Amino acid sequence: MTDHILEMRGITKTFPGVKALQDVSLGVKRGHVHAICGENGAGKSTLMKVLSGVYPAGTFDGQIVFEGQPVDFRSINDSEAAGVVIIHQELALSPYLSIAENIFLGNERQTRGWIDWNRTNLEAAKLLERVGLKNNPVTKITDLGVGQQQLVEIAKALSKRVKLLILDEPTAALNDADSAHLLGLIKQLQAQGITSIIISHKLNEIEAIANEVTIIRDGRTIETLDMQADHVSEERIIKGMVGRELESRYPEHTPSIGEELLRVENWNVFHPVDVTRQIVTNASIHVRAGEIVGIAGLMGAGRTELAMSVFGKSYGVKISGRVLKRGVEVDMSTVPKAIRNGVAYATEDRKRYGLNLIDDITRNTSGSALGKLAGLFGFVDGHKEATVAGEYLKSLKIKAPGVSSITGKLSGGNQQKVVLSKWMYADPDVLILDEPTRGIDVGAKYEIYAIINRLADEGKGIIMISSELPELLGVCDRIYTLAEGRITADIPRSEATAEVLMQHMTRERERGASDNLQ
Amino acid sequence: MTTSNESTPPASATTTALKYLAGQLRQVGLFSALIVIVLFFQFATGGITLRPINVSNLVIQNSYILILAIGMVMVIIAGHIDLSVGSLVAFVGAMAGVMITQWQIPWPAAIVLCLVIGGIVGAWQGFWIAYFRIPAFIVTLAGMLLFRGAAQIALQNQQISPFPEAFRRMGSGFLPAFGTSGYEPLTLVLGAFAAIVLLYGSLRQRMVRHTYGLESEPLWYFILKLVFSVFLIGCMAFLLASYNGTPIVLVILGVLIVAYAAIMARSVFGRHVYAIGGNLNAAALSGVKTKRVTFLLFVNMGVISALAGLVFTAQLNLASPSAGTGFELDAIAAVFIGGAAVTGGIGTVTGAIIGGLIIGLLNNGMSILGVGTEYQSLIKGLVLLAAVAFDVYNKRRVGGR
């Protein structure tokens, strides 16, 4: 018998109307990195919430054995006391408190009932060293990047004498360098005897660091694979996740490219707070009807900033340059004007900028084109509106009980589809998609790609921003590379490879690196 | 191992019905609370609560809070707050007094001018909130002090009274009565009209939904709701008809409720208000002119406050520098009892009105029972807390994960 630090047996968790987990079993070996894969909504997060006591013992069936002892975690405090710490996808740090304060939040270092700041900062510094973060412990969280914040979370976990660390999509918001550092850290912790469970959509990462992988589909355990012994490949994992081999991860598409729709010329944007810092420099891009144009760039290259500044000056100050629609200069100074000129921007952060999460699918779908539904006196035709939403629900295969479902309760892929239906209903000529598949599982990604192709076939121009090079290579007809706010290359599909793109994406990097460090 | 229990026997009709009701708990609960409170006071006061004269007084005495609640719920749905409405009531009352009694401006012109003043004050506050981006809490807190001072200056710390008879009728008058004995016919006709409009509207709505193939509420719930609503309108009409007839403020209030409920539920503007409160960033990136909507909301709040100020002044027949003290808190409480969310994005005009009625009933019932003001305040505080606690609990229960 191998030594299991954790065994979950026959876990069944039911929500009103849905069976989220059904007889799920999970065995995690001591000192290993154990990956959990599954499509969005498969039940990964629910399983981890069961494990960490977010769903207290008694609200689910089945048994949890931790370090050989059956346990009944009634709250997160219980599980943390036992050494199980979960780091959620949405980081839970208090932005205006310092690193040290966050690390010991709820676990303050005290002397005679008063906080001992020397001890706090000293111990925090030691923990920061362990996770490889060079910042001063008194730095405020808001001054850190996402990657650094993630490390603070891990330091916080270490302060609780963690035995089993659970990371939910730890690299979803990180750039490549930060991801690599984080994965290295997980291996390092493994060497120190800390077991990790990692939930991730990034299969190459799982391939790189996991010892075992458990695949969950529709609330059931499908299989647990030993990465080395079973020679597990990405394709093998995908097969388990979707229950079939995906012949191709990208749908076939033959573009029919027409006239030029949108041209941005000599675009310059400055940082809204630090107005001397130029974010976009002399960028010129164009997109034609039926064309899917990609924008590749590393984190911080200015991709989102370029897109948002074009879309009604939603980002930045001192913006200069021209925007031409079908060869005629147009006014894009506000969002309503941009929409009227047939440009739409679907955000990378759908929860913060894309959806009204407390409202239903219908009202989110109609959100940017209410004028089309309004009759006399500005009253909205609610019936027509629901019908429209219903049509998109069907044609985009949005999985939801109905059009009156609250968008906040949908999975990431379905939320993204609601964002897409919102902009499809607004019927723009040019659609800028910023990370359209972020945090979405493989099956739903394929569907999103198919929708993008369909839109291009309808004669729309698509600009797609993505951090995933394979995705750009698989979907786009032409790819711009952006580095340090400058367009460094314009590469047609036939010449594009990951290596070529990466080369151009890092071209300005060396020169600009020193003054971009914060 | 647990066995799958997917093959549960088909639920009986009553269980499904109860389940549906539980899903509508917020709406049903609010109405039930209102009825329970009415019945309680009816019993405790030995039948005084539902006496025609008391019902008539109830409407008249709470009208200005209900009017304020309409504007307030819109502001709160957008994620803001307005603390200045009480002071604005005093200021507008003062201006009405000065215009009518000192400047000898005819009262209809004075009313129009007062509403314009309300709009200007709203525009002033809306400017700072929407375009200068100062939190509404601060701007309206400043407004609360500012307009209280303005009211005192306008009145030179004196009270103004009396007002012309015609002006006073806006606050405490009745529609001209036909017939002097028994039930007053105009009120009955108005009640019947309201019931017919409600029936027609609901039926048409349901039929259109059906032709569009959209999901509707269950038939039994639909009928129950209609029967109940018509019954309420009928009771109200008979009670009012057996006293002096329809109070003029009730007509004003009725028009406002219908108009604003429609605006919030179905107009583009109303949608934009919900969108701003639900997710400001997403609304802005969807092309909603967030600043303009916010600005207009406060202009609207100003006009509504002015109207409340006029009604209040007319009713008391008095313009006083201390008028309207604490009205903002009553209006805000009404809105939250009515199910609005502090974080914005959630709330309805009808909810706010029912919330206002609950507060009004508590005031009225406890006064009849001779409960001291100190205990009245205490009980109202507990009711507000209980209502919001119920809301939060209910959301958590339904929300599940």
Side-chain angles (χ1 to χ4, degrees):
Chain A
M1 273 295 280
T2 35
D3 179 17
H4 281 100
I5 186 167
L6 171 76
E7 280 196 79
M8 300 178 80
R9 296 192 196 119
I11 305 290
T12 299
K13 168 81 188 164
T14 323
F15 292 110
V18 221
K19 212 160 227 187
L21 294 175
Q22 205 163 345
D23 197 11
V24 171
S25 296
L26 176 71
V28 178
K29 289 178 189 154
R30 186 183 303 280
H32 278 196
V33 175
H34 194 110
I36 297 180
C37 287
E39 294 190 309
N40 279 344
K44 297 163 297 187
S45 298
T46 312
L47 184 65
M48 290 306 109
K49 284 183 182 165
V50 164
L51 171 56
S52 58
V54 174
Y55 300 132
T59 63
F60 56 87
D61 295 317
Q63 195 187 22
I64 302 176
V65 178
F66 185 65
E67 299 221 273
Q69 299 288 323
V71 286
D72 282 335
F73 296 142
R74 303 205 170 272
S75 68
I76 294 198
N77 291 344
D78 283 3
S79 62
E80 287 191 346
V84 178
V85 179
I86 182 163
I87 296 178
H88 292 280
Q89 198 175 342
E90 277 96 22
L91 298 178
L93 296 171
S94 180
Y96 301 114
L97 294 183
S98 74
I99 295 178
E101 284 169 302
N102 267 286
I103 288 178
F104 295 110
L105 196 61
N107 184 21
E108 284 80 5
R109 304 289 107 159
Q110 312 171 10
T111 324
R112 288 184 293 277
W114 296 89
I115 292 183
D116 184 338
W117 287 110
N118 293 329
R119 237 176 92 204
T120 302
N121 290 327
L122 211 67
E123 286 183 31
K126 273 186 209 153
L127 290 167
L128 290 186
E129 203 175 322
R130 267 179 86 187
V131 299
L133 191 61
K134 291 179 190 72
N135 294 69
N136 191 320
V138 298
T139 315
K140 299 231 180 316
I141 293 299
T142 161
D143 297 330
L144 300 180
V146 193
Q148 294 167 316
Q149 293 186 15
Q150 191 95 53
L151 297 178
V152 174
E153 282 274 18
I154 293 178
K156 186 174 173 182
L158 292 177
S159 80
K160 292 172 185 159
R161 306 193 192 295
V162 61
K163 290 175 189 153
L164 176 63
L165 182 65
I166 304 164
L167 298 130
D168 190 357
E169 294 284 352
T171 60
L174 302 192
N175 62 27
D176 293 351
D178 284 348
S179 299
H181 180 86
L182 184 75
L183 297 177
L185 178 63
I186 294 171
K187 284 205 148 177
Q188 220 176 304
L189 294 176
Q190 187 183 7
Q192 296 170 17
I194 294 172
T195 314
S196 301
I197 294 179
I198 176 168
I199 297 176
S200 180
H201 282 130
K202 297 189 180 167
L203 303 182
N204 56 336
E205 294 177 359
I206 290 175
E207 220 182 339
I209 67 162
N211 301 104
E212 287 94 19
V213 55
T214 293
I215 295 166
I216 295 179
R217 191 201 314 151
D218 301 329
R220 296 164 199 267
T221 327
I222 300 304
E223 54 196 346
T224 296
L225 304 167
D226 185 318
M227 297 298 287
Q228 274 85 41
D230 298 341
H231 303 289
V232 178
S233 64
E234 285 187 39
E235 280 65 33
R236 179 68 189 79
I237 299 175
I238 290 171
K239 187 185 149 206
M241 278 165 62
V242 298
R244 67 196 141 87
E245 300 248 22
L246 274 183
E247 281 95 70
S248 164
R249 279 148 86 173
Y250 306 100
E252 280 298 314
H253 181 234
T254 321
S256 56
I257 293 169
E259 50 157 357
E260 179 183 294
L261 283 180
L262 190 78
R263 175 178 284 276
V264 177
E265 274 182 354
N266 302 324
W267 200 251
N268 290 292
V269 181
F270 288 83
H271 193 276
V273 180
D274 181 4
V275 293
T276 55
R277 204 168 121 208
Q278 189 156 8
I279 301 296
V280 178
T281 311
N282 257 340
S284 297
I285 57 171
H286 69 271
V287 61
R288 287 169 289 194
E291 189 180 34
I292 305 173
V293 175
I295 297 183
L298 296 170
M299 193 76 56
R303 301 165 304 180
T304 298
E305 291 82 355
L306 169 63
M308 285 184 75
S309 59
V310 170
F311 184 65
K313 302 199 170 163
S314 313
Y315 172 89
V317 291
K318 292 202 285 179
I319 297 170
S320 65
R322 302 203 306 156
V323 180
L324 294 94
K325 177 87 184 295
R326 293 199 173 92
V328 185
E329 185 162 1
V330 287
D331 178 7
M332 299 274 281
S333 57
T334 67
V335 173
K337 281 178 186 163
I339 293 174
R340 221 175 300 135
N341 283 318
V343 177
Y345 167 76
T347 166
E348 62 173 334
D349 191 342
R350 51 187 169 260
K351 287 190 177 169
R352 263 174 71 192
Y353 298 115
L355 293 172
N356 182 352
L357 294 170
I358 58 173
D359 216 336
D360 60 17
I361 293 180
T362 307
R363 287 166 174 229
N364 272 290
T365 302
S366 62
S368 57
L370 270 179
K372 284 168 82 174
L373 291 163
L376 218 51
F377 309 120
F379 280 94
V380 177
D381 183 341
H383 307 297
K384 196 173 152 200
E385 186 185 26
T387 315
V388 166
E391 278 162 16
Y392 283 109
L393 196 76
K394 256 185 241 145
S395 71
L396 300 191
K397 299 192 191 110
I398 299 172
K399 281 178 213 125
V403 290
S404 48
S405 305
I406 302 300
T407 51
K409 295 194 174 156
L410 302 178
S411 72
N414 288 315
Q415 286 181 349
Q416 185 63 39
K417 288 179 185 173
V418 176
V419 173
L420 283 177
S421 38
K422 170 167 93 174
W423 289 115
M424 284 164 76
Y425 185 58
D427 196 24
D429 302 317
V430 175
L431 190 53
I432 307 172
L433 303 172
D434 197 349
E435 301 280 6
T437 63
R438 167 172 290 176
I440 292 179
D441 61 69
V442 180
K445 273 185 181 175
Y446 188 89
E447 288 174 19
I448 301 269
Y449 300 141
I451 295 166
I452 293 173
N453 287 339
R454 202 171 90 199
L455 289 169
D457 289 340
E458 285 168 14
K460 300 193 190 308
I462 310 284
I463 298 174
M464 177 166 154
I465 299 171
S466 175
S467 301
E468 293 180 36
L469 294 184
E471 173 175 283
L472 289 174
L473 293 167
V475 177
C476 297
D477 303 315
R478 194 156 58 80
I479 302 170
Y480 287 106
T481 54
L482 195 64
E484 300 290 313
R486 293 168 204 272
I487 297 286
T488 50
D490 176 2
I491 307 164
R493 179 179 211 153
S494 52
E495 295 166 25
T497 62
E499 290 73 25
V500 172
L501 290 180
M502 190 51 86
Q503 221 177 342
H504 290 291
M505 281 156 62
T506 51
R507 212 160 77 182
E508 299 279 313
R509 202 70 178 174
E510 296 84 32
R511 251 203 289 141
S514 56
D515 51 56
N516 205 39
L517 280 180
Q518 288 191 54
Chain B
M1 296 313 112
T2 46
T3 49
S4 129
N5 49 355
E6 272 158 17
S7 55
T8 40
S12 68
T14 21
T15 358
T16 23
L18 281 176
K19 264 197 184 144
Y20 185 80
L21 273 185
Q24 307 288 316
L25 198 57
R26 180 68 236 185
Q27 214 184 4
V28 177
L30 202 56
F31 262 105
S32 316
L34 186 68
I35 292 168
V36 167
I37 292 171
V38 169
L39 292 180
F40 170 77
F41 282 120
Q42 173 70 358
F43 179 75
T45 60
I48 297 177
T49 301
L50 286 184
R51 256 186 218 164
I53 180 167
N54 191 51
V55 171
S56 190
N57 281 342
L58 202 67
V59 171
I60 292 174
Q61 284 164 6
N62 287 296
S63 53
Y64 41 89
I65 295 296
L66 296 179
I67 293 173
L68 286 175
I70 294 174
M72 190 64 81
V73 74
M74 296 168 70
V75 167
I76 285 175
I77 290 170
H80 297 289
I81 194 112
D82 192 337
L83 300 175
S84 69
V85 296
S87 295
L88 192 49
V89 161
F91 178 55
V92 168
M95 289 313 290
V98 171
M99 282 189 225
I100 295 173
T101 61
Q102 292 176 7
W103 300 347
Q104 309 295 333
I105 296 176
W107 65 269
I111 287 180
V112 175
L113 283 174
C114 282
L115 294 178
V116 171
I117 290 175
I120 293 171
V121 166
W124 157 263
Q125 303 202 111
F127 164 76
W128 293 109
I129 295 162
Y131 297 103
F132 216 76
R133 290 174 182 264
I134 300 177
F137 189 93
I138 310 284
V139 171
T140 59
L141 182 62
M144 184 178 175
L145 301 168
L146 222 150
F147 302 119
R148 179 65 61 193
Q152 285 163 347
I153 293 167
L155 288 173
Q156 289 158 333
N157 270 326
Q158 307 278 308
Q159 297 183 334
I160 291 182
S161 187
F163 283 84
E165 174 65 28
F167 177 77
R168 278 162 53 191
R169 290 187 46 175
M170 187 172 74
S172 51
F174 294 86
L175 287 184
F178 300 103
T180 42
S181 62
Y183 292 117
E184 197 272 306
L186 178 63
T187 304
L188 294 183
V189 170
L190 280 177
F193 178 72
I196 289 168
V197 166
L198 180 81
L199 278 174
Y200 173 76
S202 312
L203 275 174
R204 190 172 157 271
Q205 179 90 349
R206 197 177 167 85
M207 270 155 65
V208 175
R209 283 190 81 82
H210 188 73
T211 51
Y212 273 90
L214 300 169
E215 43 196 310
S216 292
E217 49 200 8
L219 188 64
W220 64 269
Y221 182 71
F222 175 75
I223 292 173
L224 199 73
K225 219 169 76 174
L226 271 189
V227 168
F228 183 70
S229 310
V230 169
F231 174 74
L232 273 188
I233 292 175
C235 286
M236 195 74 185
F238 274 103
L239 282 170
L240 290 174
S242 54
Y243 181 56
N244 267 345
T246 313
I248 291 174
V249 280
L250 182 63
V251 178
I252 298 177
L253 197 57
V255 170
L256 286 179
I257 293 173
V258 171
Y260 278 102
I263 286 174
M264 288 311 283
R266 292 190 47 217
S267 79
V268 174
F269 179 78
R271 285 306 180 72
H272 285 174
V273 175
Y274 280 103
I276 286 176
N279 186 340
L280 180 66
N281 293 320
L285 284 176
S286 296
V288 175
K289 291 170 180 155
T290 52
K291 290 178 186 172
R292 186 191 290 182
V293 172
T294 306
F295 177 76
L296 289 177
L297 265 180
F298 278 91
V299 172
N300 179 62
M301 182 80 245
V303 174
I304 283 185
S305 307
L307 185 60
L310 288 168
V311 168
F312 183 67
T313 311
Q315 212 174 95
L316 287 185
N317 191 16
L318 174 76
S320 152
S322 63
T325 311
F327 281 13
E328 60 281 341
L329 300 181
D330 275 345
I332 292 168
V335 168
F336 287 129
I337 290 177
V342 189
T343 44
I346 294 171
T348 57
V349 171
T350 26
I353 292 295
I354 294 174
L357 283 176
I358 288 179
I359 293 185
L361 267 165
L362 289 172
N363 281 337
N364 176 275
M366 290 191 289
S367 301
I368 296 173
L369 289 176
V371 178
T373 46
E374 63 274 31
Y375 289 102
Q376 290 196 18
S377 182
L378 193 137
I379 289 170
K380 277 192 285 180
L382 287 176
V383 167
L384 172 62
L385 194 62
V388 177
F390 173 76
D391 221 16
V392 170
Y393 164 77
N394 191 28
K395 231 171 265 166
R396 208 174 290 157
R397 191 186 56 89
V398 176
R401 38 186 144 179

